[in-house]
Amino acid sequence: MKLKIAFICTLLLWSAAYTSFAQEQKNVLVTIGNESVTKDEFLKTYSKNNNLMTATEKDLREYLDLFINFKMKVKEGEALQLDTLKQFKTELLSYQKQSSQQYLIDKEVTEQLMDEAKTRAQYHVRASHILINCPENASPKDTMAAYKKALTIREEILSGVYTFADAAIKFSEDPSARDMTNPQNGRVHSGNQGDLGYFTVLDLIYPFETAAYNTPIGQISMPIRSQFGYHLVYVTDIIRAIKSISIGQIFVSDTLATDHQMSDSSRIKLSLIQSELKAGTPFETVAARYSDDTVSKDKGGQVEPFAPNRRTGDFVKAVITLPAGKVSEPIATNYGWHIVQLIAVSYVTIDDDMEYSLRNRISRDSRSFKSKSSFITKIKKEYNYNEAGKTKAIKFFLKNMPEEFFQSKTVKLDELKGIEKLQPMATYADQTITATDFANYINRFKGMQLKKEEIESFLNERFDMYIQDNMMRYENDHILEKYPELRELVKEFHDGMVLYEINTQNVWGKAVSDTVGLEQFYQSHLSKYTDPTTLEISKLNNIKAIVITDYQEYLDQKWLAELRKKYNPRVNEALFSTLLKK
């Protein structure tokens, strides 16, 4: 009975396969050598660049001829193994990698990041910060200590013990907060007291940016973690996003301006400048006469338009609050005093170009890891990821790793006694990650300076990165199997490259390099290059480009005739006649 059931099942499977094969064969529109092209494949290709609903029989017939020619040339190129050349394979792999990127992210998260960026791009934020350093791989103890220090500073500011600026000067581990002396000329540059000026989306690191956009004006954020440490973010202003600011300026150099002090000579000069401006002397004339800015003074004081993040916050605020055409009071910077005339402010608009730029910048920014991380979580679930052996393996490394490992040139982690007995650290799909695999990876980090208490967090972080890299590599290796539309896209690019190479070899390049053949073609077609009124024959050198084009067409038709003999394309006319039946 079992044998009978098995036989019937086998028969049914064979019958289904045969029926499927017969249906597929019935749908074959054209056969080229040993390759069959179905009606659906042809119509799909046609519809990419043409409207099937308005197509005539002539349109379809002409396109079919071109389609057959294309297929024959690609087959010939493959037969000559043009697609096995190193440069060809490199270019194809590069295209596949580029085209695959959209399949290796969480598109929903990416769109959320894009929406977030478009919203933020409409504003410039002015903020100050206090940084408490804390390396990414710091121990839990050191991390908590840094967090508590930042929290204490915040509480002292809120309780009135310090202003934010005073606290930045006293506690911030960002050196720009304090005055610095240039060792080359001894000149003192005033610290920014934590003030970072105006910035917009993608100007600063993502965690800081997020804190700045989510903190109301006049308030201080909770400590925010970044790769540098913990930040306190104090938001002081939010304005409509500015693309560029155009100004004219009269600059008076004065080293005392860095402390908002004014030398006697500057006071006299500025007074004279302001008097002439009030008397009606054109700004351009006064700038040319008095400005110490040698670049702009000959341009009527006009400087190159600048974005808000290219100037200090105080300078930008003073400029953008001016009515257009009006002249400011003297504005102090680290370099001197500026009397400014506002010419124009250009505001940001979120158009297609802006969106394209944002999308590209997001893909290269650290925030894109949110999308990648979400994607990794999804494929972990898809591939039944399991890391049952991770904890035991990490403990094994911490217990048996020699103290001198990171500084030794000879000690290798994968040679630790007993490592081969550990269960796999992780498994997914058909892959197994052993402790030895991970140890070999860690061997690459020789020379790192790590405290003993930092090693555990370092190993855990690196394991996560190692798994992500391996899973992304696995996904890349199987991506064409997983996504038919991508496979089709890469195949189209492959075929296009083959067509280009073989056309260059047999037609375009040959027509240029085959000077003997070109001359023979020209001599055998002299009537084509003879003026019918004067009967004068044009010389080859005078019409070489025209003759080369004609010769290319001749070579192409001759070659296609040879290919048709070799591959014998056959059209299913009965099936072709149904293409127009809608």
Side-chain angles (χ1 to χ4, degrees), residues 20 32 59 98 161 178 193 212 221 231 299 340 431 518:
S20 175
I32 305 168
D59 294 333
Q98 181 181 357
V161 176
R178 288 173 288 281
Q193 301 178 11
S221 72
H231 306 258
K299 302 176 183 176
V340 173
Q431 301 293 295
L518 182 66

Side-chain angles (χ1 to χ4, degrees), residues 87-100:
Q87 184 177 350
F88 185 102
K89 292 168 75 173
T90 299
E91 289 183 23
L92 183 63
L93 186 61
S94 175
Y95 178 79
Q96 179 181 324
K97 183 178 180 181
Q98 181 181 357
S99 302
S100 299

Side-chain angles (χ1 to χ4, degrees), residues 529-538:
Y529 308 115
T530 301
D531 189 319
T533 55
T534 64
L535 300 181
E536 183 179 346
I537 301 173
S538 300

Side-chain angles (χ1 to χ4, degrees), residues 511 514-523 540 544 547-548 551:
D514 183 12
T515 55
V516 174
L518 182 66
E519 176 67 33
Q520 290 174 348
F521 175 81
Y522 166 74
Q523 291 294 340
L540 175 58
K544 196 167 187 177
V547 179
I548 287 176
Y551 188 40

Side-chain angles (χ1 to χ4, degrees), residues 2 16 35 40 55 66 95 124 164 168 204 252 280 420 443 455 461 497 530:
K2 288 182 179 180
E35 181 180 357
D40 295 338
L66 293 173
Y95 178 79
H124 265 93
F164 196 93
L204 300 175
V252 176
E420 72 282 352
N443 285 337
I455 294 177
E461 285 178 10
M497 286 179 64
T530 301

Side-chain angles (χ1 to χ4, degrees), residues 385-405:
Y385 174 78
N386 184 296
E387 55 178 43
K390 172 192 170 183
T391 301
K392 189 173 182 180
I394 296 292
K395 288 180 179 178
F396 172 85
F397 289 131
L398 293 172
K399 180 180 179 181
N400 296 282
M401 180 186 292
E403 289 185 12
E404 71 277 11
F405 168 72

